Amino acid sequence: DGGKFGERWAELCQVYGINVDLLKVEWGYAVDPQEVARRLEANPAIKAVLVQANETSTAVAHPVKELAAITKTKPNTILVVDAISALGGYPLPMDEWGLDIVVAGSQKAMMLPPGMAFAALSPKAWEFVKTSRCPKYYFDFAKQLKSQQKNQTAYTSAVTLTLGLMQVLGWVREQGLEKIFARNAKMARAARAAVQAMGLTMFSKQNPSDVLTAVEAPAGVDGQKVVAEMRKKGIWIAGGQAQAKGKIFRIAHMGYIDEQDLLGTIGALEIVLNELGYKVALGSGVKAAQEVLGKEA
Amino acid sequence: DGGKFGERWAELCQVYGINVDLLKVEWGYAVDPQEVARRLEANPAIKAVLVQANETSTAVAHPVKELAAITKTKPNTILVVDAISALGGYPLPMDEWGLDIVVAGSQKAMMLPPGMAFAALSPKAWEFVKTSRCPKYYFDFAKQLKSQQKNQTAYTSAVTLTLGLMQVLGWVREQGLEKIFARNAKMARAARAAVQAMGLTMFSKQNPSDVLTAVEAPAGVDGQKVVAEMRKKGIWIAGGQAQAKGKIFRIAHMGYIDEQDLLGTIGALEIVLNELGYKVALGSGVKAAQEVLGKEA
């Protein structure tokens, strides 16, 4: 599991009567591909490995490429990737790596309002669709494929978001994915430098993500309070979810979030942390971030 | 069944392993409440009666009030109403009539883009939720209720449509439901008068709906061709679905569709029908509709 959304994969499977071999991962850490390989060897009946590309609740990027290298060698196992906050944020070349199902949402790096989901399937995954016995109606991939081959959707679709998506994809094409990914990576490095300069601790102990940064609330400071005080200044950062609630806060730096947003957020955070009793030299985090952002791309 | 969406209720149930006692109803006709009563007597294990308030594919309004009068007397049976195109279009007082579950969509009389669904449950239906064993995750009503009692949604919601909904509901409150319903009813009477004056035949043989009018394509004229020619004029009417495809066309008159829209549509329809070989005196349908619309509300 390793986070709230990892737990959700398991819950979703259990609700639909699917047996789950849950690999426990401490929050803040990434899954170990070797352990996944061992489990697949031990139980060849495992049909799918489900993983978050970016576990949004901990800001850890799981090693999707390494997992795909394992599932690629197993004809009866597919890799299903929750890329809701990862797609468009950092490289996730589905065909090149061998990801079988990638799902994403409109509301993260796709820069649209919530209300739309995407799914892409590999040829290997389409073979699994043929024998799937899970109850489904609106989420029947075979039906959707049939309609999409006629340039239609099987059911009434979210028209306004589709129009918005065309705008976003035009902008993405204009910029180029490489440039977008490089910018997100630089923003992430800047955020991490600021965290270190402020004497704070990253919540993501391994593979910190390029699309958001999760930070431990310093001793004696409530993470939810940090979020609330930032909101009073008109800045939306996120708190922790479930077991991390109150213990962390999370800063997004994907999509249309730019350098001004990030520097302003760090600056305001320094003020808020001081107000809440954690002493940090004003400007220290901002300066560290500036130094990263000021370097050539 | 009685239409495409009646058939869909049955398909949805079957996919989820629910036994369906399908009541066949010829397209264009309304369900007979007495037949429903007979089946419930014959099989007391029936847990729910599922019906479309407005069967959009045939423009027939099923007798929901009469059905509720029957299910109200059965403690183990609820009435589930698909009001996707009915809600906001004509009266459907849930508590007064005793409807147990009413579902609706954003894209019909609620005058919003597609992408949002609504569901309301009676106390009787909430008891059924407690014992439901259908697999569900995002559609878990109990989880949604828990969140909504905290003025939240259980999962990421379609924020833009929610904001739009607040606008619509403000407008509805300002106008008053009675006035909206009366206007829709008058628009429907005008559409039916036009159909008659043009020598056309209603596809809805019983209970023609107040939110849209379904018309048989005259002999020798393809209903889909009527739709295509209208679209060339920038007017969107609907064709028939499934078994009615090519045989009918449908004119909506709900929500923000106003007298100008309706008169313009009928006028353009007269031109198109003449072009396609069905001779109709120009202005005859328009005049009949005008006479209805011109009367006091």
Side-chain angles (χ1 to χ4, degrees):
Chain A
D1 51 355
K4 187 179 165 65
F5 296 101
E7 288 175 0
R8 186 173 294 179
W9 263 149
E11 288 166 13
L12 266 164
C13 288
Q14 281 154 353
V15 158
Y16 283 90
I18 297 165
N19 292 324
V20 176
D21 179 10
L22 189 69
L23 205 164
K24 293 296 291 180
V25 174
E26 197 184 335
W27 284 40
Y29 291 83
V31 68
D32 174 10
Q34 290 319 307
E35 177 59 23
V36 173
R38 271 192 293 275
R39 296 218 185 180
L40 289 178
E41 287 300 327
N43 185 356
I46 292 176
K47 281 190 170 173
V49 174
L50 296 101
V51 70
Q52 274 62 40
N54 179 59
E55 171 56 69
T56 318
S57 66
T58 64
V60 166
H62 287 302
V64 165
K65 187 181 180 181
E66 289 73 13
L67 291 172
I70 296 162
T71 53
K72 260 204 291 195
T73 65
K74 312 276 178 195
N76 300 316
T77 309
I78 55 171
L79 180 64
V80 184
V81 179
D82 164 356
I84 287 170
S85 58
L87 190 82
Y90 56 81
L92 213 64
M94 187 173 171
D95 297 335
E96 190 188 323
W97 288 359
L99 320 182
D100 295 304
I101 301 187
V102 175
V103 295
S106 54
Q107 76 277 19
K108 301 286 183 185
M110 299 310 287
M111 299 172 273
L112 291 166
M116 195 177 210
F118 315 108
L121 282 78
S122 71
K124 189 176 169 187
W126 279 112
E127 289 303 313
F128 279 60
V129 167
K130 287 182 193 163
T131 56
S132 156
R133 292 186 314 270
C134 267
K136 63 188 96 50
Y137 194 87
Y138 290 103
F139 292 147
D140 185 331
F141 283 142
K143 241 184 234 175
Q144 288 292 350
L145 180 65
K146 212 175 137 189
S147 291
Q148 297 208 355
Q149 282 166 342
K150 293 185 283 186
N151 209 21
Q152 294 173 352
T153 53
Y155 305 103
T156 306
S157 57
V159 178
T160 43
L161 292 175
T162 307
L163 294 171
L165 180 63
M166 287 167 69
Q167 289 297 116
V168 167
L169 294 179
W171 180 84
V172 167
R173 181 165 291 187
E174 203 177 280
Q175 297 269 308
L177 274 176
E178 275 180 35
K179 198 171 154 191
I180 293 170
F181 291 160
R183 199 188 58 189
N184 285 355
K186 193 158 87 165
M187 292 275 279
R189 287 195 303 275
R192 288 172 213 148
V195 168
Q196 196 175 21
M198 289 188 281
L200 297 169
T201 307
M202 295 282 291
F203 181 61
S204 320
K205 305 302 175 202
Q206 287 180 317
N207 296 11
S209 163
D210 279 355
V211 295
L212 83 164
T213 294
V215 186
E216 291 185 8
V221 173
D222 178 359
Q224 293 301 105
K225 190 90 185 139
V226 176
V227 175
E229 289 301 316
M230 291 291 278
R231 197 158 298 178
K232 284 185 194 161
K233 296 180 183 294
I235 300 167
W236 291 67
I237 64 170
Q241 294 170 288
Q243 59 170 265
K245 196 163 188 168
K247 298 180 189 161
I248 70 171
F249 51 86
R250 297 176 294 155
I251 300 162
H253 33 74
M254 66 179 95
Y256 47 65
I257 296 167
D258 62 14
E259 296 194 0
Q260 183 190 16
D261 295 327
L262 184 62
L263 292 173
T265 298
I266 297 168
L269 187 60
E270 291 176 348
I271 297 171
V272 165
L273 288 173
N274 273 300
E275 283 172 1
L276 295 177
Y278 176 76
K279 294 303 163 197
V280 49
L282 290 179
S284 58
V286 174
K287 179 168 176 281
Q290 283 172 314
E291 284 168 358
V292 173
L293 295 174
K295 283 180 198 159
E296 290 304 305
Chain B
D1 50 355
K4 187 178 165 65
F5 297 100
E7 288 175 0
R8 186 173 294 180
W9 263 149
E11 288 166 14
L12 268 164
C13 289
Q14 281 154 352
V15 159
Y16 283 89
I18 297 164
N19 292 324
V20 175
D21 179 10
L22 189 68
L23 204 164
K24 293 297 290 180
V25 174
E26 198 184 333
W27 284 40
Y29 291 82
V31 69
D32 174 11
Q34 290 320 308
E35 178 59 23
V36 174
R38 271 191 294 274
R39 297 218 183 179
L40 291 178
E41 287 301 327
N43 185 357
I46 292 175
K47 280 191 169 172
V49 174
L50 296 102
V51 70
Q52 274 62 40
N54 179 59
E55 170 56 66
T56 318
S57 66
T58 64
V60 166
H62 286 302
V64 165
K65 187 181 181 182
E66 289 73 14
L67 291 172
I70 295 162
T71 52
K72 259 203 291 196
T73 66
K74 313 275 177 195
N76 300 316
T77 309
I78 55 170
L79 180 64
V80 184
V81 180
D82 164 356
I84 288 169
S85 58
L87 189 83
Y90 56 82
L92 212 64
M94 187 173 173
D95 297 336
E96 190 188 322
W97 288 0
L99 319 182
D100 295 304
I101 301 187
V102 175
V103 295
S106 54
Q107 77 276 21
K108 301 287 184 186
M110 299 311 286
M111 299 173 274
L112 291 166
M116 195 177 209
F118 315 108
L121 282 77
S122 71
K124 189 177 168 186
W126 280 113
E127 290 302 314
F128 278 61
V129 167
K130 286 182 194 163
T131 56
S132 157
R133 292 187 313 271
C134 266
K136 62 187 99 48
Y137 194 87
Y138 290 101
F139 292 147
D140 186 331
F141 283 142
K143 242 183 232 174
Q144 288 292 351
L145 179 65
K146 211 175 139 190
S147 290
Q148 297 209 353
Q149 281 166 341
K150 293 185 283 186
N151 207 21
Q152 294 173 351
T153 52
Y155 304 103
T156 306
S157 57
V159 178
T160 44
L161 292 175
T162 307
L163 294 170
L165 180 63
M166 287 168 68
Q167 289 296 117
V168 167
L169 294 179
W171 180 85
V172 166
R173 181 166 292 188
E174 204 177 280
Q175 297 269 308
L177 273 177
E178 276 180 35
K179 197 171 155 191
I180 292 170
F181 291 160
R183 200 188 57 187
N184 285 354
K186 193 159 87 164
M187 293 274 278
R189 287 196 303 275
R192 287 172 215 146
V195 168
Q196 196 175 22
M198 290 189 280
L200 297 168
T201 307
M202 295 282 292
F203 181 62
S204 320
K205 305 302 173 201
Q206 287 179 318
N207 296 11
S209 161
D210 279 356
V211 293
L212 83 164
T213 295
V215 186
E216 292 185 8
V221 173
D222 178 359
Q224 293 301 105
K225 189 89 186 148
V226 175
V227 174
E229 290 301 315
M230 291 291 278
R231 197 158 296 177
K232 284 185 194 161
K233 295 178 184 296
I235 299 166
W236 291 67
I237 64 170
Q241 294 170 288
Q243 59 169 266
K245 196 162 186 168
K247 297 181 189 160
I248 69 170
F249 51 85
R250 297 174 295 155
I251 300 163
H253 33 74
M254 66 180 95
Y256 47 63
I257 296 166
D258 62 14
E259 297 195 358
Q260 183 190 15
D261 294 328
L262 184 62
L263 292 173
T265 298
I266 297 167
L269 187 60
E270 291 176 347
I271 297 170
V272 164
L273 288 174
N274 273 300
E275 283 172 0
L276 294 177
Y278 176 77
K279 294 303 163 196
V280 49
L282 290 179
S284 58
V286 174
K287 179 168 177 281
Q290 283 172 315
E291 283 169 0
V292 173
L293 295 173
K295 283 180 198 159
E296 289 303 305

